[in-house]
Amino acid sequence: MTTWLYTHEACFAHDPGSHHPESPARLKAVLDALSDQAFAGLVRREAPRAAVEDLALAHSRRFVEAMLKAIPATGHAAIDADTILSPGSGEAALRAAGAVIAAVDAVLAGEATNAFCAVRPPGHHAEAERAMGFCLFNSVATGAERARHRHGIERVAVVDFDVHHGNGTQAIFAADPHLFYASTHQWPLYPGTGARGETGVGNLVNVPLRAMAGSREFRQAFSDIILPALDAFAPELLLISAGFDAHRDDPLAQLMLVEADYAWVTERLLESAARHCRGRVVSSLEGGYDLTALGASAAAHVAALMAA
Ligand SMILES: [Zn+2]
């Protein structure tokens, strides 16, 4: 059994502008880190393109079609101040969601033990009817809905350790007790959601952390709150929104995590997945904006996946 790595060349072609932190160089940093000999055991797969029908499990079909129609033929088109489209953005976003969908299929088929999707744009801020926060389509939510509606999986969990709250995933999941969403995030911070009191139908777990919180607070949030709630939910499939912008070197936020924290949290999540769902885990890249920290953190995360 093996860890599969999904990516696609098209994910480099989403270009939000030369000064935008969500740059193609991010993906290069991750793939360079994963080209080390230590990762020779990864099974490398090209991400397919997500079908509109799959995206329409998490979004409205009208939104998906409007988003693809908004892709400019040249130059840039702005959805909001942070969320910019370039000619390559549609294909990149379809491959990003397609990676998670294919990884879910491979893990549920028992072909892969677990999988990591090295893709961009990220997805966790995208709501059913709205692209925002660098995100076009919600790849992880699409993968979760795919597992529910195409594979008949009863309970799917998403754990999100990106420094920002995954408002999009939360909003898509909030009314569905078959879906579980847990997040640690700096708070207050963009996008402003993720207060402790946001609990959905008992299926949302939010643990806001104050600026300058580090390893101790992060691990405590998982040990005391998120992991027990995840165990109680007993997922049949676990998805990870793997953002690495809670790293101490990240320029967009002020949490103080280090690479070892990403290895630690990945190991704990794999232990929970081993208890409940034969280790079936699909992780997808969200944020992470210091290139050195991003590469090293993603490497620590994937190394832990491979050790499962
Ligand atoms: Zn983020």
Side-chain angles (χ1 to χ4, degrees), residues 124 162-164 245 287 289:
H124 72 155
D162 189 280
V163 81
H164 303 96
D245 42 9
Y289 303 97

Side-chain angles (χ1 to χ4, degrees), residues 6-54:
Y6 283 89
T7 189
H8 197 282
E9 192 68 26
C11 293
F12 285 105
H14 166 57
D15 166 29
S18 55
H19 298 294
H20 199 289
E22 206 289 277
S23 66
R26 297 181 58 244
L27 181 56
K28 184 175 187 309
V30 171
L31 293 177
D32 282 354
L34 298 180
S35 69
D36 188 273
Q37 186 57 32
F39 299 98
L42 285 171
V43 175
R44 291 161 197 268
R45 288 285 183 266
E46 187 163 271
R49 193 180 287 134
V52 171
E53 296 72 51
D54 283 318

Side-chain angles (χ1 to χ4, degrees), residues 122 124-125 133-134 160 162-165 189-190 243-246 250 252-253 286-289:
H124 72 155
H125 294 306
F134 314 167
D160 182 337
D162 189 280
V163 81
H164 303 96
H165 182 244
L189 189 69
Y190 182 90
F244 299 101
D245 42 9
D250 197 275
L252 263 55
E286 300 283 0
Y289 303 97

